[in-house]
Structure formats: structure tokens, C-alpha cells
Amino acid sequence: MTLVEWSLSRPVRTLVLLLLLTLAGTAGLSRLELRTDGSALVPRNDPAVAADAEIRAHFGLRDPIVVLVETAHPDGIYNFATLERVAHLTEALAAIEGVEVTSLATEHRQRVFPGTLDFRTFLEPLPDTAERMADLRADVELAGILGGTLVSKAPPAAPWATTLLVGVPAGDGTLDRQALYRRVRAAADRFEVPDDRILVVGAPVAEAMLGTHILEDLALLLPLSMAVIAAVIALGCRRLWGVLLGLSEVGAALAFTFGVMGWSGTPVYLTTAVLPVVLTTLGLADEIHIFWHYQRALAAAPVSCSHVEVVRSTLRDMVRPVTLTTLTTALAFLAFVWSSIPPVRSFGLFAALGILFCWLWSLTVVPAALALLGGQRMRREGELTIGRGGRSRAIFERVIARPVAVWLAILLVSAVSAVGASRLFVQDSWVDGFARGSPFRRATERAHQALLGTHLLIAHLDFRSTGGPAQPLLNRALLDEIRDFEAHARSQPGVGGVLGAHSHLQAVTRMWLAREEIPRTRDRLDLLLRRFDQGRGEHRRREVIDDARERTVITVFLENANYLETAHLMSALRAWSDEHLKKWGAKLSFAGDVAVSQAMIPAIVSTQLGSLLIALAGVVLVLGVLLRSLRFALLAVLPSAVTVLWVLGAMGWAGIPLGVATSMFCAITLGVGVDYAIHLLESHRRARHRGASRPVLVSLEEAGGAIVFDTLAIALGFGLLVFSQVPANGRLGLLVALSLSASCVLTLAGLGATLARIPLGRRTPSEP
């Protein structure tokens, strides 16, 4: 007995069983976690990840949360109230477990406490006299490296901001970083006053706030998308029960899918954050076609025919196309399972799971509910068309009467799109995850005005393979080369500043040796490093030069890190290193949040585009095998494949780059676009089987309305993403809406015209 027959014969039991299944999955929602950190989006075996982890561990480097204290005082930061506030805020932040705070209240200067050899911090004691304030200012300027790091870049007047850097410990979860950000923000709020504004920015903050924005988006956009789709269903079937049945499926699918994610310990990643919108929009596609077909069958059924028999005949016609569309859509998402990136695999796996759950619901709950409701509650008076006065029929007739003209138009647009697609480029940025007018984006821009930059690219130079004397970094000639490397990096576009071994040693030379030029002999350089340890602390020196004097890191501060500019910068640094440092046996590698992002972005984009090819091949194979008709399979994928080309071409001509979010539209377009073609082809098959004289026109009239309403519902649902706080999700929603609209047109016009000239054949494909 089939699922449909079982559901029709036992409708109440069917509803209870599906409800219990949904509740069993829903129970896992309490175990669900959110993770939006960038490291989760990079393949674990990627060399960039391994290098980043090793370099961070070796040098004790942490991602900094930047707490920027801006003051409106006429003397800038050099006033007692502001500096006292910085000292107390430093204490409050240092009390947070696991963090490491760097500020003027923690960094040492060359002055000692009277009668000791213990060096004072810049704020010991707090400068409560004009003389002490002048000494503080002189000491900050003497250090040199504090400008743009702990105090704002030095203008002619006094610096107007100072920073506290909160080193974030390494961790795997964004929830920890969100909790840490809240504690940092709460501490900052306690000390903020009208004259001293406190901003909190940095990569860890971006990750935490991105997760918050995604949750806020879902809280707003998910109900909106359900409301829009409900309105489309109401417009299509004109019955409240149709709306309620559709929304119940969406709610059940969301609860079940995310509950299973919770049970399996799979967190919600950036990639799966759009899954609710995907399931809300795609989950109702089958119902739109079933309800459309059911209402047409009710209108045509004789009075003597029971409504249960109409349900049975409707599902008899719809089981095959609904099953095929479910398989092809699930396959499009399952292609992501071959990705090396866990969040991408998670997105594909659970999107497919949700779609399969919707299929089960459509073939059990929907027929059971329709049988219990009776025919009158879903009956609709009048002809079901997508236009009035036979206009849709006239349009369809013109399309199928001029197939050559339709083909030529499609070929022309495709040729232009192919040229545009060749102009595509990969580009993405963490900062672009926030709208330009958002508070975090404005705070980050403000921090960039004050500091060298909040995005850090760590250049690691390893001289262990020199084969020369031990401790190669005690060679003054090599340090001069590192000085030139720093200068070269500083001259690159987008670089706000650079601090490396030479910069730090020069600061120590000024402060503790009272000289401008660092020593030249190995003994004096070794003494200088000892002064570094005694004055600034061994932990500070180890963040720049390791104990063996064989490895060093150079911090490159970027004002606006994005994929293309950073790629050019890294390429320029590698070229300079190969030309000037290769003779020293140097090996250059990179670390930091920027370096990890450089590995993440192309990995995700290439994975998603590669998955598109796998999905295309899989859909053709499955349809060809199940239906034993290669022609059916190729015709089914053709409209969505052409649509992807069109949208990629439009992106190329418009200068819209491929990124983590924008490249996701390909799989969605394929998964949904194939559905349109399958429904049209199946309707055409049934019309030919009935012996219709004009099967193409019959199929366009029979399935065209459902395809249009299906497109309208999904396009509007995804289109709501343009209101997202995350611009990348907004671009994804717009691309999906445009691509599905194009796929609908290509299916009805292009495939319709093709079937008029190239029918599926006299022998219809065998039933699966």
C-alpha cells in the first residue's frame, strides 16, 4: 500500500504519527548552538589553518577586541579624568577570566619606581600634575610604536583617543565570544561619560555581532516570509484551509530539521543561517502544485464522485512529479556533502533533510487532511488560470507558434551572459557583512581613523633553515632587511601601518638605551633583547621574536581587509621576500584573521560552484535512470542551467562579485528551477497519454499557473532578505529572486517552445 493510500484510509492515525515524529525532532531544539566564527568556515586540513594555529601558539598571539576611548577634552587623552578612566577600565577588563589586556595602564616605559629597578607603566602614577602629564606625553612619543596602536595616530594636536586591546583566547564557539563581548561592552558602558565615548570593535566583535544580527534577522524575516507566502497561497487557491495546511508544513519542517541539528550536535553556522528561509519557501512548492491540481479536479469532477476519490486521483497524478522534484532538489543540496568545509556540508545535508521531510508531509498529512476536510472547504468557483479572459492561453499560443524566435532570443541573451560571466571575480569581506549605516560599521570606520587598522595580517618569517650561525636574528644586516620589508609592506595600498622586529627593537633602543640607531654587533643586539625582556616584558618580546632568535612576526594593520586587496598584498610581500630574504633562508607564511579569511572565501566559492556541476550531473543521472529517458532529463535541467549562466553573466556585467553568500544561489536555482521543468514535462506527458490534440498548450494551461504562483511565493520569500541587516544575505535573496523568475520564464517560454517542436516521443517514459 502506498503512503497516499495508507494516509487516505487512516487519516487520523496519519496525522498523529507525523505529529509525534515532528515533536521527537523538535525536542532537540534546546541543544542547538550558534557558531559564526570565521575559522569554522575554513577546511580543517587547509595549510593556512595549520600555519595560523602553529604561529599563534608559538608566539602567544590572540585576536584583539579593540576598546577605543574617544575624548572631547581640549587636551585630548592627556587629561587626568580620561587617563584615570582608562586605568579603572583596564582593571575591570582584566578581571574577565581568560583575557589579556594591553593599554597604557599595562605597558612599561623607561622610568623606574624610586629606589628600585622595577619599570613603571605609563599610567603609574596617574599624572595629576602638569609636569607628570608632560613626562607621560614625552614618553609616549619616545616609544613611537604606540602611535596608531595604543593612542590615536599623532596629529599636530594631542591624540584624541586611546585604546585597550583585549586579547581573546582561542576557542571553537561563537557563543563564548558573544558572552565575552557582552562582558566587555558592559564594562565599557560603566565608564562611558558624555566627554569620553567608548567604542568596541575588532574581528571577535564582528563575529559575535554577526551571529546576533542573523538571529535578529530570522526573528523578523521568517514571520514576514511566512506571511508573504501565505498571501501567495491565498491568492492561488483562495481558501484559508490551503493556507493553514501549507503553513503547518513549514512550521513542522523547520522544527524537525533544526531539532535534528540539535540532537546531532551540529551548530547553526553562517551557511545554515539562511536555512529557515530556504525551507519556508521551498517547503510549500509541492503544496502549491497539489492544491492547484486538486482544485481543478474538484471543478471538473461529476457530482457523483466523492471528494476522497478526487484527492486520490489528484495524488495519483502528482506523486510522480512531487517525488521527482523532491529528489532533484535534495540532490542539488546534497552535492554540498562532498565539500571539505563542515558548515557547507551541514547546509547541504540539512537542507536536503528538510526537503525530504516536506515530501513525506505532502504525501501523508496533506491527503489525510484533505480527506478529513471535505471537498467544499477547498472548492473554488470559476476557471483556474493565471490571467483573465483567456489572455494566458493567447500568450502560450504565441510562444509555441514561434519556437525559432524564442530560441534565438534565448541564445542571444546566453551569448551576452557568457561574456559577462567571464568578467566575474571573487571578492568578500567581513566588514561588508554589516550595512554601511550600522553602528558597528560606523564604529569600525571611526577606529580606522584613530588607529593603524583593526584587521591584522601576520607575516611570519622563519630563518631556521639558514645553515648559518645560531640565532640569525642577532645579525644586524638581516635586521636591516627586515626593516626594508616593513617599509615595503607599509607602502602597499590599504596598509595603515606595520610593526615588526625592527620597529620594536628601535623603540626599545630609544627608551632603554637612549639612542636612535639599534646596535650593530651580536653582543649588543643580544643585550638589547635582554633590555626588551626587562623593560617591556618577556611576553611582549616573545610576541615578536622567539627565544631561539630564529623566527619573527611582522604585524600588518589593514584599514579595510577584503579578499582581492589582501591577495595582492600577500603576493607583493611574497615577491619581496623571495627577492631579498631568500638568501637568508627565509620562509614566509601568514597568520591572523585576515589570512584565515583568505583561505575561507575561495574555498567556499569554489566548493559551491563545484557542487553545482556535481548536482547537474546527479540530477541528469537520476532522472535518466528513473524515467529511462535521457531526453526528459536533459530538458528538465536545461532551463535552470541557462538561468545560472544568465545570472552569473548579469553579475559579471554589473560588477557584483562572487562571495560566500552570493555563490549559494547556484544550488538553489538548480534545485528549484528543475522543479518547474519537471512539473511542465509531467503535465505534458499526461496530456499526451490522454490523447490531447495540443498537449503543449494543455500542459502550459494545466501546470503554468502553479509554476507562476510557485515562483512568486519563493521569489518573494527570498526577496525579503534584501531587508536583512547582513548585506551579503540581502544580495543572496535578490539573486535567488531574479534567478527563479528567469527560470520560470525559461521553463514556460523556452521549454514550452521546445516541446512544440521536439516532443518527448510517442512512447512516454516508464513510471518510476
Side-chain angles (χ1 to χ4, degrees):
M1 182 181 291
T2 65
L3 281 174
V4 173
E5 289 294 340
W6 196 90
S7 302
L8 288 175
S9 62
R10 302 170 179 84
V12 176
R13 189 180 301 178
T14 297
L15 297 180
V16 172
L17 288 176
L18 264 294
L19 177 61
L20 291 176
L21 176 64
T22 303
L23 291 176
T26 303
L29 289 175
S30 61
R31 303 163 59 93
L32 199 60
E33 297 180 351
L34 176 68
R35 185 178 178 190
T36 57
D37 55 304
S39 60
L41 298 176
V42 186
R44 294 292 90 191
N45 59 352
D46 192 287
V49 177
D52 175 72
E54 194 278 332
I55 293 168
R56 285 177 183 271
H58 187 78
F59 290 92
L61 303 177
R62 298 183 173 202
D63 285 333
I65 291 178
V66 180
V67 181
L68 182 73
V69 181
E70 294 183 327
T71 181
H73 195 279
D75 295 329
I77 66 170
Y78 296 117
N79 71 88
F80 181 82
T82 298
L83 294 177
E84 182 183 39
R85 191 164 291 111
V86 169
H88 291 325
L89 179 55
T90 300
E91 293 176 1
L93 294 174
I96 300 175
E97 183 180 359
V99 305
E100 181 181 283
V101 182
T102 303
S103 73
L104 291 177
T106 65
E107 292 304 283
H108 294 94
R109 50 177 165 173
Q110 74 278 13
R111 301 175 190 269
V112 297
F113 290 102
T116 73
L117 294 178
D118 296 329
F119 292 100
R120 297 185 296 182
T121 68
F122 283 92
L123 298 187
E124 288 180 332
L126 281 170
D128 52 1
T129 66
E131 182 180 2
R132 286 179 174 176
M133 193 68 74
D135 289 341
L136 171 63
R137 181 166 186 168
D139 290 348
V140 169
E141 291 175 353
L142 178 66
I145 60 172
L146 301 184
T149 55
L150 290 186
V151 301
S152 55
K153 291 178 284 192
W160 49 272
T162 182
T163 61
L164 300 88
L165 304 178
V166 182
V168 178
D172 293 332
T174 300
L175 286 178
D176 293 337
R177 292 198 169 191
Q178 288 179 333
L180 176 60
Y181 165 66
R182 286 194 293 268
R183 295 190 63 181
V184 171
R185 184 68 261 181
D189 289 342
R190 293 202 306 270
F191 293 96
E192 190 169 37
V193 295
D195 285 343
D196 286 347
R197 181 187 178 196
I198 303 179
L199 307 176
V200 182
V201 297
V205 178
E207 294 173 1
M209 293 193 69
L210 195 57
T212 301
H213 285 346
I214 288 172
L215 292 178
E216 292 173 348
D217 277 354
L218 290 179
L220 173 65
L221 298 179
L222 186 56
L224 278 179
S225 64
M226 293 182 73
V228 168
I229 291 171
V232 173
I233 295 176
L235 180 65
C237 73
R238 307 289 176 87
R239 288 294 178 265
L240 177 61
W241 280 107
V243 175
L244 295 178
L245 285 176
L247 293 183
S248 67
E249 176 179 326
V250 169
L254 289 173
F256 178 81
T257 303
F258 281 91
V260 173
M261 289 177 65
W263 282 122
S264 65
T266 304
V268 176
Y269 299 103
L270 283 174
T271 52
T272 51
V274 297
L275 198 53
V277 177
V278 171
L279 294 181
T280 299
T281 52
L282 300 188
L284 292 175
D286 291 339
E287 272 57 48
I288 290 174
H289 289 275
I290 291 174
F291 293 160
W292 182 272
H293 198 83
Y294 177 57
Q295 288 182 317
R296 290 176 65 91
L298 280 174
V303 178
S304 59
C305 183
S306 70
H307 75 278
V308 174
E309 187 57 37
V310 177
V311 174
R312 182 176 285 107
S313 66
T314 296
L315 270 297
R316 189 182 301 118
D317 286 341
M318 298 306 297
V319 163
R320 175 164 143 149
V322 165
T323 301
L324 291 176
T325 56
T326 297
L327 285 175
T328 54
T329 303
L331 275 174
F333 287 107
L334 283 175
F336 290 123
V337 172
W338 278 269
S339 170
S340 60
I341 305 171
V344 175
R345 291 201 302 268
S346 174
F347 170 73
L349 179 63
F350 287 100
L353 175 65
I355 289 165
L356 290 172
F357 180 89
C358 290
W359 170 82
L360 178 63
W361 191 278
S362 298
L363 298 189
T364 55
V365 173
V366 169
L370 291 177
L372 291 173
L373 284 173
Q376 287 302 119
R377 289 187 174 89
M378 287 293 291
R379 187 181 298 276
R380 177 179 169 185
E381 300 299 330
E383 185 181 3
L384 275 77
T385 64
I386 56 175
R388 293 183 179 179
R391 283 182 296 180
S392 59
R393 182 183 181 90
I395 294 173
F396 292 149
E397 285 182 333
R398 283 197 293 269
V399 167
I400 62 179
R402 299 174 177 83
V404 176
V406 173
W407 293 341
L408 288 176
I410 293 174
L411 286 174
L412 178 61
V413 176
S414 299
V416 174
S417 299
V419 177
S422 67
R423 300 161 57 93
L424 276 173
F425 59 96
V426 176
Q427 176 69 304
D428 217 328
S429 168
W430 271 106
V431 174
D432 287 340
F434 299 87
R436 291 191 177 276
S438 67
F440 178 77
R441 186 74 175 262
R442 291 199 302 267
T444 299
E445 291 170 352
R446 188 68 174 164
H448 286 158
Q449 294 176 14
L451 308 176
L452 300 178
T454 60
H455 304 283
L456 307 182
L457 176 65
I458 308 299
H460 169 238
L461 292 172
D462 186 349
F463 298 96
R464 284 176 293 181
S465 61
T466 58
Q471 301 182 323
L473 288 172
L474 294 181
N475 188 318
R476 173 56 192 274
L478 176 55
L479 288 175
D480 287 344
E481 294 278 18
I482 293 175
R483 174 200 62 201
D484 295 341
F485 181 88
E486 293 179 27
H488 178 71
R490 202 173 287 117
S491 68
Q492 298 302 306
V495 174
V498 178
L499 292 178
H502 190 277
S503 301
H504 285 276
L505 290 178
Q506 192 168 52
V508 173
T509 301
R510 290 196 195 103
M511 297 173 71
W512 279 275
L513 298 184
R515 296 174 53 184
E516 276 297 317
E517 187 177 357
I518 65 175
R520 292 190 171 276
T521 66
R522 293 179 65 88
D523 291 342
R524 296 289 292 174
L525 284 171
D526 185 62
L527 176 63
L528 179 62
L529 287 174
R530 294 176 187 273
R531 290 287 184 271
F532 200 148
D533 292 348
Q534 294 168 357
R536 299 189 62 199
E538 288 185 5
H539 66 293
R540 286 286 174 262
R541 190 264 304 158
R542 288 188 178 121
E543 290 176 346
V544 184
I545 299 173
D546 71 346
D547 290 338
R549 277 65 163 164
E550 294 176 330
R551 301 167 65 181
T552 183
V553 291
I554 298 167
T555 303
V556 182
F557 298 85
L558 304 179
E559 297 173 346
N560 182 24
N562 61 63
Y563 177 74
L564 279 181
E565 291 182 6
T566 303
H568 292 321
L569 171 62
M570 294 171 69
S571 178
L573 296 182
R574 286 193 183 96
W576 198 96
S577 176
D578 289 342
E579 182 178 353
H580 299 277
L581 295 176
K582 195 170 184 179
K583 61 179 177 289
W584 297 95
K587 292 183 179 179
L588 175 64
S589 55
F590 295 98
D593 61 296
V594 172
V596 172
S597 294
Q598 288 302 107
M600 172 193 73
I601 293 168
I604 292 181
V605 172
S606 61
T607 292
Q608 292 181 359
L609 294 180
S611 297
L612 174 66
L613 300 178
I614 295 174
L616 274 172
V619 168
V620 171
L621 178 63
V622 168
L623 290 178
V625 171
L626 288 179
L627 303 177
R628 286 180 282 181
S629 172
L630 181 60
R631 179 181 296 179
F632 186 108
L634 293 175
L635 288 175
V637 301
L638 190 59
S640 54
V642 173
T643 295
V644 171
L645 173 62
W646 282 13
V647 177
L648 289 176
M651 291 174 64
W653 285 115
I656 300 174
L658 279 172
V660 173
T662 53
S663 57
M664 292 177 66
F665 89 91
C666 297
I668 297 172
T669 300
L670 175 65
V672 181
V674 170
D675 296 356
Y676 302 160
I678 288 175
H679 279 292
L680 183 63
L681 289 169
E682 279 293 296
S683 180
H684 180 264
R685 180 190 65 84
R686 291 193 301 268
R688 288 178 62 81
H689 183 72
R690 295 194 302 264
S693 59
R694 304 182 70 185
V696 178
L697 184 59
V698 171
S699 62
L700 286 170
E701 289 186 309
E702 182 181 87
I707 291 173
V708 169
F709 281 109
D710 189 356
T711 303
L712 185 62
I714 299 175
L716 287 177
F718 273 98
L720 288 173
L721 285 175
V722 299
F723 300 107
S724 169
Q725 298 180 73
V726 182
N729 284 346
R731 290 190 290 270
L732 172 63
L734 180 61
L735 288 174
V736 170
L738 291 174
S739 62
L740 293 184
S741 300
S743 187
C744 175
V745 172
L746 282 168
T747 299
L748 296 179
L751 187 54
T754 301
L755 289 174
R757 281 294 183 92
I758 311 175
L760 288 176
R762 295 185 179 277
R763 184 177 65 85
T764 58
S766 300
E767 299 289 341

